[in-house]
Amino acid sequence: MEPACTWSLLSEKKATSSSLALLSWKEFTDYREAFQKHLKQKYQKIGVDKCYYHGKHIRPRLLLVKEHGISEKTPCGIPQQDHFIELEHVFGPNEESCSSSRTVVLQGCAGIGKTAVVHKFMFDWAAGMVTPDRFDYLIYVNCREISRTANLSAADLITNSFQDLKGPILDTVLLYPEKLLFILDGFPELQYPVSDQEEDLSVNPQERKPVESLLCSFVSKKLFPESSLLITARPTAMKKLHSLLKQPIQAEILWFTDTEKRAYFLSRFSGANAAMKVFYTLRENEGLDIMSSLPIVSWMICSVLQSQGEGDRTLLKSLQTMSDVYLFYFSKCLKTLTGVSVWKGQSCLWGLCSLAAEGLQKHQVLFAASDLRRHGIGVYDANCAFLSHFLKKAEGGVNVYTFLHFSFQEFLTAVFYALKNDSSWMFFDQVGKTWQEIFQQYGKGFSSLLIRFLFGLLHRGKGHTVETTFGRKVSPGLREELLKWTEREIQDKSSRLQIEPVDLFHCLYEIQEEEYTKKIIDDLQSIILLQPTYTKMDMLAMSFCVKSSHSHLSVSLKCQHILGFQEEEQASALTPPALTLNQSFQLYNVPVSRLHLLCQALQNPYCKIKDLKLIFCHLTASCGRDLSSVFETNQYLTDLEFVKNTLEDSGLKLLCEGLKRPNCILQKLRLYRCLISPASCGALAAVLSTNQWLTELEFSETKLEASALKLLCEGLKDPNCKLQKLKLCASLLPESSEAVCKYLASVLICNPHLTELDLSENPLGDTGVKYLCEGLRHANCKVEKLDLSTCSLTDASCVELSSFLQVSQTLQELFVFANVLGDTGVRRLCEGLLHAKGMIKNLVLWTCHLTGACCQDLCNALYTNEHLRDLDLSDNALGDEGMQVLCEGLKHPYCKLQTLWLAECHLTDACCGALASVLSRNENLTLLDLSGNHLRDFGVQMLCDALIHPVCKLQTFYIDTDHLHDDTFRKMEALKRSKPGITW
């Protein structure tokens, strides 16, 4: 076999394979036990090595993320409560699948502990504590370590995992491929060209391929399809992974809870008093408190404060961003130097910056002593206590080094680009890329941690600390260059569409410049956040960015998985003993609502979010309380929408308290596919009788019981209710529809402000409409728009509606489509139109089972009703004869119709002469839809001849062109040249 470890600096040993030989079961089990013993010894130091010290404090608890749709079997399609699971159980029996092969993706941001969790899982497996008998072997691959290698095979990776063991490696390991688990740690986020060509992927374990092709072969299950996969990745790599994965189990690694964080601090300090002082100091700085839930941040803070004085604990209160934390760590480590000049320490740090930048550019995380020397760092320096804060020896290597954490390499690379201002610098050739090229390397998403660090380092207030730590000045003009470049990216529409808003928010949060942030956010106009998961840190960055926007914003937020927020009952457990309850609530209470940070932004008097949509937001009491507080000060939020939410009574009642406040100017409240109880409807009724601004209330696919509607109608009947639009689309239960119509009739009699009523997609039936029309016909009823589409109506309902048309002086729009009205029903409606007192402008009758027999009645209505502007007869079998009759009405001088929809009305060329006659005479018609009909060249050419007539004012003409010939297309092009304003 070829050398299996050519990619690794850790070993130059050649692996050999014995000839194919059958193994006895004893030999097989002995080899497996030897491998387990080897792994156990290898990973036993987890919890000792300081880079992974937080590993034992991370609960291997994961949040299962189901991104590809929500099961419609759940009520209203609302996802149920979060599903937490431990890593070892992910590989347990699956009732839904008989396949033993499984692909699991562990997602988490930098520093969350992905590698630590995987290492702990490997140790526990080797110790026999998890998944016993599930796997024979775990094959661990550090994706970053192999990324620099040109070509590799799967056999190389397997053999490298067993390089310390003797025996027939491949023959033994591959004996039962279904009992193998391949662990791909740190799937690359750099913009490798992911190939979708079959020939670029490998199915042969012995075939050497470029690293990216090899990894894609594993992920797409071309290699070892019977084996299981465990992949760790940052969120920035997930888009690439999704294009390759087949039915993965996706899970998010959870951040430290406050309990875990406190336990971690207690383990790092010699006394509980010192640990708790630091813990509660963090609580006074909300930003740092959130960031320290990231294990790497807690580790850095403890590492610094363990060795330094009380003054550094005070400095914690000034740390706001991730860049602040990393700069704090590096600057404090510089002060640990003893017996060496500060200049020497700065030179070492600058050498690390250039080393990090070169490595990142070349996809390199392992460095030989020669690499360090090229950057001015000697092997002696690398072994000194100072550099041990940043570098460590690679496991199993001799004079091979790596950064303590990959984020250190990214931070130092950002420092390099922030300070690099001399093109004659000795290593410029090795690290010659500009920051823009590095940005492109990570894609146009502002998603790279390196880019976020660069934004943070260019904050005006950090210049002095950066210079005193690294011994160089910030590159002049770089800040302005970066900010102007960002503006161009946002203003360019094609670039803006590729940007994930949260990534941009993190960059803007790092630089902490509010005026500049306002300018960028104003260019966005709308913010749509629909990722499967968001963290508390994401919410903090968003809150900073939207709290003082100049222009009106529309925000949509998917709230299903916003990680890091705890339940109300946990908050009291964290109260310092020396404080009273009231003090602790005001000063130390944990933000318990997942909407807490967003609501903080909304409470800013300058926050101009106008439209807020909350998707999958379980409205608990804490959420209701936080949203309620918004309306104490907010003077811009006018539209609030809940989509697929469970509205708990306690939460909605608290929200309603806010909606009743005098300062609340909310105008529209929409609930789409929500679960709501009668008691909550009672709370909404109280809002209707109090709030003078609320003019639109919509329930869409939100099932309401009769008792709930009765309570709601009591609020609608209150003299103080100013509601103008009520929409109850697909929200009534069949058994209660008639009763609800009676309740609504009483509302129409009492409420003169209600101008729009939408009852579409409810099984009202003819009886329900009969009750409803009693209220519609009342003199106090001022309804202008009525939607009864898809309401199970027949021609019997048209008798009631006709009488309503004859007495209503306000109705302008009537929607009765998708009901079986038939020609008889339309005849009765037209009788009402003939004697209408009002000014009905829009009549929608598509899919009403009409034929040409009703066209004379419609024609008579067009003669007499000069207010009608829009008529929709689509999807009715009018036929050519019916159309010819209708055209007589369209030609009448009293007819002022502007839009006519006749899609799929069984029309042919035979009616085009009559239509052409209308077009050449009618000066009002601006839109004609003839799509879905059987019109051919002859008919279309006749229509084109009419359209070119000076009298014709048609602007929009819908017609099918699939079967037309060239002569017809030429005539249509000539028409466009003659009338360039017309659209097809």
Side-chain angles (χ1 to χ4, degrees):
M1 180 179 287
E2 293 292 323
C5 305
T6 53
W7 56 272
S8 177
L9 291 165
L10 299 180
S11 173
E12 295 181 359
K13 294 188 298 182
K14 292 187 177 180
T16 59
S17 175
S18 66
S19 60
L20 293 175
L22 293 174
L23 297 171
S24 68
W25 179 250
K26 184 176 185 305
E27 289 174 320
F28 180 81
T29 54
D30 287 349
Y31 195 82
R32 183 179 60 191
E33 289 171 4
F35 177 69
Q36 288 178 318
K37 182 179 179 181
H38 164 70
L39 275 191
K40 186 176 178 180
Q41 292 172 348
K42 182 177 180 179
Y43 293 110
Q44 198 160 18
K45 66 175 185 175
I46 293 177
V48 177
D49 186 325
K50 63 181 177 182
C51 188
Y52 295 111
Y53 194 89
H54 58 266
K56 69 178 182 180
H57 298 282
I58 296 178
R59 296 171 62 187
R61 195 174 61 129
L62 311 171
L63 171 68
L64 287 185
V65 178
K66 296 181 180 179
E67 183 182 13
H68 305 292
I70 302 300
S71 171
E72 292 300 320
K73 295 178 182 178
T74 60
C76 297
I78 298 171
Q80 301 305 297
Q81 64 182 19
D82 294 340
H83 186 187
F84 298 102
I85 191 170
E86 294 181 357
L87 180 56
E88 57 266 29
H89 295 150
V90 174
F91 293 103
N94 185 357
E95 296 178 0
E96 297 178 2
S97 173
C98 58
S99 172
S100 61
S101 172
R102 199 159 297 175
T103 299
V104 178
V105 180
L106 299 187
Q107 172 184 322
C109 62
I112 189 63
K114 297 181 291 294
T115 298
V117 168
V118 166
H119 284 183
K120 187 177 187 304
F121 174 76
M122 294 175 72
F123 174 81
D124 290 344
W125 173 82
M129 294 187 290
V130 298
T131 61
D133 303 322
R134 177 68 175 85
F135 301 113
D136 285 336
Y137 298 100
L138 308 186
I139 313 299
Y140 177 80
V141 179
N142 187 316
C143 296
R144 292 194 181 106
E145 289 184 1
I146 67 172
S147 61
R148 193 185 178 193
T149 313
N151 293 289
L152 275 174
S153 71
D156 294 338
L157 299 179
I158 294 170
T159 308
N160 184 72
S161 294
F162 294 83
Q163 59 182 328
D164 295 327
L165 298 177
K166 295 179 181 179
I169 297 171
L170 289 179
D171 296 343
T172 306
V173 172
L174 300 183
L175 194 59
Y176 301 105
E178 70 278 7
K179 301 198 77 173
L180 291 180
L181 173 63
F182 287 91
I183 301 173
L184 306 182
D185 189 18
F187 191 84
E189 59 185 320
L190 297 179
Q191 298 302 299
Y192 286 135
V194 177
S195 175
D196 55 1
Q197 301 297 319
E198 289 287 327
E199 59 267 22
D200 291 334
L201 301 178
S202 175
V203 296
N204 181 1
Q206 301 284 358
E207 183 183 12
R208 284 202 166 93
K209 284 282 189 179
V211 168
E212 58 269 26
S213 295
L214 181 63
L215 292 176
C216 291
S217 300
F218 270 109
V219 173
S220 59
K221 304 304 287 251
K222 298 295 182 184
L223 275 170
F224 302 107
E226 311 97 327
S227 304
S228 292
L229 270 178
L230 175 59
I231 305 167
T232 72
R234 291 184 181 180
T236 45
M238 291 308 299
K239 188 174 183 181
K240 180 174 25 172
L241 271 172
H242 282 147
S243 66
L244 298 167
L245 292 167
K246 292 179 175 155
Q247 295 184 325
I249 298 172
Q250 184 179 332
E252 184 92 17
I253 297 180
L254 300 178
W255 292 40
F256 270 160
T257 64
D258 279 308
T259 303
E260 291 168 331
K261 183 163 59 175
R262 183 166 58 171
Y264 176 70
F265 277 61
L266 288 169
S267 72
R268 292 301 306 273
F269 290 90
S270 57
N273 190 45
M276 296 313 292
K277 279 184 179 180
V278 175
F279 180 78
Y280 287 117
T281 298
L282 295 181
R283 301 291 293 278
E284 296 174 17
N285 179 343
E286 186 173 38
L288 185 59
D289 187 35
I290 291 172
M291 288 187 290
S292 63
S293 296
L294 201 59
I296 189 67
V297 173
S298 281
W299 174 80
M300 283 190 285
I301 290 171
C302 290
S303 297
V304 168
L305 298 183
Q306 275 179 318
S307 58
Q308 306 206 15
E310 187 81 8
D312 293 319
R313 184 162 63 86
T314 305
L315 282 175
L316 291 179
K317 297 177 182 179
S318 65
L319 305 183
Q320 295 294 326
T321 68
M322 203 66 77
S323 304
D324 288 340
V325 173
Y326 278 74
L327 189 56
F328 172 75
Y329 176 81
F330 278 82
S331 63
K332 293 304 174 184
C333 287
L334 185 64
K335 293 184 178 180
T336 65
L337 278 173
T338 55
V340 182
S341 68
V342 172
W343 178 86
K344 175 66 174 175
Q346 290 174 334
S347 298
C348 286
L349 285 179
W350 181 246
L352 288 175
C353 290
S354 59
L355 177 72
E358 182 183 23
L360 206 62
Q361 181 176 322
K362 296 179 178 179
H363 312 296
Q364 181 181 359
V365 296
L366 298 176
F367 304 97
S370 58
D371 294 322
L372 272 65
R373 282 194 293 269
R374 280 191 304 104
H375 292 270
I377 306 168
V379 176
Y380 173 77
D381 294 331
N383 289 321
C384 76
F386 171 61
L387 284 178
S388 67
H389 292 297
F390 323 114
L391 286 178
K392 66 175 180 177
K393 276 193 173 183
E395 187 176 347
V398 179
N399 290 335
V400 179
Y401 300 88
T402 188
F403 286 95
L404 278 180
H405 194 270
F406 185 56
S407 63
F408 280 18
Q409 187 170 350
E410 294 172 295
F411 177 75
L412 290 170
T413 301
V415 173
F416 176 81
Y417 283 101
L419 304 186
K420 189 185 73 172
N421 50 44
D422 185 0
S423 60
S424 64
W425 177 64
M426 60 184 294
F427 299 118
F428 188 81
D429 292 337
Q430 282 81 15
V431 196
K433 286 190 177 181
T434 64
W435 66 265
Q436 292 99 326
E437 291 172 313
I438 291 292
F439 187 95
Q440 294 298 333
Q441 188 176 3
Y442 282 87
K444 288 188 175 183
F446 293 88
S447 57
S448 162
L449 186 58
L450 183 158
I451 299 299
R452 294 180 190 177
F453 281 142
L454 187 59
F455 270 84
L457 290 166
L458 294 177
H459 180 266
R460 286 192 180 99
K462 294 192 183 77
H464 177 72
T465 307
V466 174
E467 291 167 16
T468 56
T469 303
F470 296 95
R472 287 172 175 258
K473 291 185 177 295
V474 174
S475 183
L478 179 58
R479 176 186 166 279
E480 286 69 26
E481 181 185 344
L482 178 64
L483 298 186
K484 287 180 181 177
W485 181 88
T486 303
E487 284 185 57
R488 289 194 299 270
E489 285 291 301
I490 297 301
Q491 290 168 359
D492 181 80
K493 187 175 181 180
S494 62
S495 295
R496 187 169 68 242
L497 291 174
Q498 300 178 52
I499 296 170
E500 174 60 38
V502 167
D503 296 332
L504 175 64
F505 294 159
H506 278 291
C507 291
L508 297 174
Y509 179 77
E510 287 293 323
I511 204 166
Q512 289 282 305
E513 296 194 13
E514 292 192 12
E515 286 302 316
Y516 176 75
T517 299
K518 289 176 189 176
K519 186 186 299 184
I520 294 296
I521 298 301
D522 288 348
D523 287 330
L524 292 180
Q525 297 179 349
S526 66
I527 296 169
I528 301 174
L529 303 170
L530 301 178
Q531 292 298 313
T533 61
Y534 292 103
T535 66
K536 192 184 281 191
M537 191 67 208
D538 294 332
M539 293 297 100
L540 179 67
M542 183 189 73
S543 174
F544 171 80
C545 291
V546 303
K547 68 182 180 183
S548 53
S549 55
H550 282 153
S551 65
H552 296 291
L553 277 176
S554 174
V555 175
S556 298
L557 174 63
K558 185 177 180 180
C559 312
Q560 182 182 0
H561 300 308
I562 300 181
L563 308 179
F565 294 92
Q566 299 182 33
E567 297 301 323
E568 290 170 290
E569 58 268 18
Q570 294 177 327
S572 59
L574 298 169
T575 305
L579 297 175
T580 66
L581 180 61
N582 289 336
Q583 289 173 317
S584 68
F585 183 83
Q586 294 177 16
L587 188 59
Y588 291 100
N589 192 35
V590 177
V592 292
S593 160
R594 64 184 71 185
L595 301 178
H596 170 76
L597 293 168
L598 173 61
C599 291
Q600 275 190 338
L602 288 165
Q603 286 176 289
N604 188 308
Y606 300 104
C607 178
K608 294 187 179 179
I609 292 178
K610 179 183 178 182
D611 182 357
L612 178 62
K613 180 187 292 186
L614 300 173
I615 306 165
F616 297 157
C617 170
H618 192 105
L619 191 67
T620 60
S622 57
C623 288
R625 178 203 60 206
D626 287 343
L627 279 171
S628 178
S629 66
V630 168
F631 297 104
E632 293 179 5
T633 56
N634 189 287
Q635 292 294 300
Y636 297 99
L637 186 61
T638 58
D639 294 5
L640 178 61
E641 180 175 359
F642 293 96
V643 178
K644 294 188 177 181
N645 290 290
T646 299
L647 306 175
E648 291 186 4
D649 290 342
S650 57
L652 194 57
K653 286 178 181 178
L654 285 169
L655 172 61
C656 288
E657 290 303 313
L659 297 179
K660 290 190 289 186
R661 288 193 173 98
N663 289 333
C664 175
I665 64 162
L666 193 75
Q667 298 173 15
K668 178 179 179 180
L669 178 61
R670 181 173 188 251
L671 292 87
Y672 172 71
R673 300 190 78 174
C674 294
L675 295 177
I676 184 171
S677 72
S680 291
C681 283
L684 282 173
V687 173
L688 294 173
S689 61
T690 308
N691 188 304
Q692 301 295 299
W693 289 88
L694 191 64
T695 57
E696 185 170 349
L697 178 61
E698 178 177 351
F699 296 87
S700 185
E701 297 185 47
T702 297
K703 298 305 179 183
L704 299 169
E705 297 178 13
S707 56
L709 262 300
K710 185 177 182 180
L711 289 171
L712 199 63
C713 288
E714 291 302 316
L716 289 166
K717 289 191 291 184
D718 191 283
N720 293 318
C721 177
K722 298 296 188 292
L723 199 76
Q724 298 173 10
K725 301 177 183 179
L726 176 62
K727 299 182 180 182
L728 299 170
C729 177
S731 294
L732 307 184
L733 300 174
E735 62 272 16
S736 61
S737 294
E738 293 183 7
V740 170
C741 287
K742 291 181 181 179
Y743 300 148
L744 290 171
S746 65
V747 170
L748 294 170
I749 293 171
C750 299
N751 191 322
H753 304 289
L754 199 63
T755 58
E756 289 190 23
L757 180 59
D758 182 351
L759 298 175
S760 59
E761 299 184 52
N762 288 300
L764 304 185
D766 297 328
T767 305
V769 170
K770 179 181 178 181
Y771 292 134
L772 186 68
C773 284
E774 291 176 6
L776 289 169
R777 288 191 294 263
H778 196 277
N780 286 341
C781 177
K782 298 295 186 289
V783 168
E784 298 173 4
K785 180 179 178 180
L786 178 62
D787 191 342
L788 298 175
S789 56
T790 322
C791 283
S792 304
L793 310 186
T794 69
D795 59 330
S797 294
C798 295
V799 175
E800 301 294 334
L801 290 172
S802 178
S803 65
F804 165 52
L805 290 173
Q806 294 179 46
V807 298
S808 174
Q809 298 184 13
T810 58
L811 189 69
Q812 298 181 23
E813 298 180 80
L814 178 61
F815 297 79
V816 286
F817 61 83
N819 288 296
V820 189
L821 304 184
D823 297 328
T824 303
V826 169
R827 182 181 303 115
R828 290 167 173 168
L829 284 179
C830 289
E831 288 173 2
L833 289 173
L834 289 173
H835 304 93
K837 292 185 179 180
M839 299 182 293
I840 188 161
K841 298 178 180 179
N842 186 6
L843 180 60
V844 182
L845 295 168
W846 57 259
T847 319
C848 284
H849 297 255
L850 310 182
T851 70
C854 73
C855 288
Q856 185 59 59
D857 296 302
L858 290 168
C859 181
N860 295 338
L862 293 173
Y863 282 156
T864 56
N865 195 316
E866 59 181 336
H867 302 294
L868 195 62
R869 296 292 181 269
D870 305 284
L871 178 61
D872 191 342
L873 299 170
S874 300
D875 193 26
N876 288 295
L878 303 184
D880 294 324
E881 293 184 7
M883 191 67 243
Q884 290 169 357
V885 172
L886 189 64
C887 285
E888 293 303 312
L890 293 169
K891 289 187 290 186
H892 197 279
Y894 282 168
C895 177
K896 306 299 181 192
L897 204 67
Q898 296 176 353
T899 65
L900 178 60
W901 305 85
L902 297 168
E904 300 182 24
C905 283
H906 299 200
L907 308 181
T908 70
D909 289 352
C911 71
C912 288
L915 277 170
S917 177
V918 171
L919 294 173
S920 60
R921 298 184 187 185
N922 191 306
E923 298 182 353
N924 301 299
L925 203 61
T926 59
L927 182 149
L928 177 61
D929 181 8
L930 296 173
S931 60
N933 290 293
H934 307 290
L935 305 186
R936 296 295 183 263
D937 293 279
F938 178 72
V940 174
Q941 289 187 27
M942 272 199 296
L943 293 175
C944 287
D945 290 337
L947 287 169
I948 207 167
H949 196 283
V951 173
C952 180
K953 297 298 187 294
L954 203 71
Q955 299 172 2
T956 305
F957 184 35
Y958 296 122
I959 194 169
D960 295 337
T961 59
D962 295 343
H963 305 291
L964 302 180
H965 293 94
D966 291 343
D967 288 347
T968 306
F969 280 113
R970 281 192 288 271
K971 182 159 277 193
M972 292 169 69
E973 290 299 322
L975 174 61
K976 282 187 177 181
R977 288 192 295 272
S978 175
K979 290 188 172 182
I982 197 168
T983 58
W984 300 87

